Amino acid sequence: RQSVEPLERALALSLEVEDARSRWLALFSLARAQNSLNDAAGAAELYARALAAWDGFLDPAALESTLFGLAQAEELLGDHTGARQHFHEALASARSEGHRTMEGEVLSSLASLEDSVGSRRQSIEISEQALAVMRETRNRSGECRTVNNIAFSLEFLGERQKALDGYRRALVICRELQSPRVEAQVLTNIGRLY
């Protein structure tokens, strides 16, 4: 809560001077703080206000970050339609601007959304796009997460051997990254198949 108070004051000051860029930054920062406090509703409201304050002056990367944050908050709130729409808007901008790292992250989140609503085949298709981007941008952590997510979808489609192979590939990557938390998650997934 202490970290939010200076951001609230920054927002109040930016509203007083009617500086759109400062207003956006204050709203965006406050939304991220609310998100870190697990307040998805507060974060969604603030991301939406930041998006409204955007008004075309921001660089595309800031727009993409705002749309991405809003989509993540909406997903947590169970608003899959809104989340899907905002993920797609962020994805379109990232692609048109050549922001490959953001493209990979948005694709990965969109795939997770599709998986959570039971669209496993669509999730796998989107994850494969994300995986290509993660590899191109050398995002090994994202690659590990995406390979694990593909395996998870395959498992729930009944494709045990493909899932096991995917989990094993994810395990190799997470061990290279020396990530015990992710390694434990992947090992749990492997154990579930035995």
Side-chain angles (χ1 to χ4, degrees):
R1 178 70 197 149
Q2 255 183 329
S3 65
V4 172
E5 289 170 7
L7 295 171
E8 288 173 339
R9 181 69 184 129
L11 176 58
L13 289 172
S14 70
L15 291 173
E16 286 175 20
V17 296
E18 297 183 18
D19 175 16
R21 183 176 291 276
S22 295
R23 186 176 318 117
W24 171 83
L25 182 58
L27 287 163
F28 181 79
S29 298
L30 195 52
R32 288 176 54 122
Q34 291 302 110
N35 192 46
S36 72
L37 295 171
N38 296 317
D39 178 6
E45 178 200 341
L46 290 161
Y47 279 124
R49 287 176 60 195
L51 192 57
W54 178 69
D55 199 27
F57 70 86
L58 288 177
D59 64 274
L63 173 62
E64 293 155 20
S65 295
T66 305
L67 288 164
F68 186 66
L70 177 57
Q72 288 179 314
E74 289 169 329
E75 182 179 6
L76 289 173
L77 293 170
D79 179 4
H80 300 124
T81 302
R84 190 177 286 114
Q85 173 190 335
H86 290 114
F87 279 138
H88 279 288
E89 289 176 25
L91 181 60
S93 178
R95 283 181 168 161
S96 73
E97 296 296 325
H99 297 156
R100 299 291 282 164
T101 301
M102 176 58 86
E103 179 182 348
E105 291 301 325
V106 174
L107 284 166
S108 181
S109 293
L110 185 57
S112 292
L113 170 67
E114 294 303 337
D115 190 76
S116 73
V117 298
S119 300
R120 307 251 192 248
R121 291 275 176 219
Q122 188 170 3
S123 174
I124 291 170
E125 289 173 18
I126 296 168
S127 290
E128 288 171 348
Q129 293 175 51
L131 186 57
V133 174
M134 299 290 183
R135 286 178 174 153
E136 178 188 321
T137 59
R138 298 180 183 190
N139 180 346
R140 294 291 281 165
S141 176
E143 182 180 350
C144 178
R145 184 178 66 246
T146 304
V147 169
N148 186 62
N149 291 346
I150 292 170
F152 186 80
S153 293
L154 288 167
E155 177 183 345
F156 279 88
L157 288 170
E159 299 184 34
R160 255 181 114 258
Q161 190 56 52
K162 286 183 180 179
L164 189 57
D165 292 344
Y167 287 139
R168 287 180 176 147
R169 281 193 305 277
L171 186 61
V172 168
I173 298 167
C174 73
R175 284 182 172 159
E176 286 174 12
L177 296 171
Q178 299 179 353
S179 177
R181 183 185 58 79
V182 178
E183 182 177 347
Q185 179 187 5
V186 173
L187 286 168
T188 299
N189 293 342
I190 290 171
R192 195 174 48 242
L193 289 175
Y194 284 100

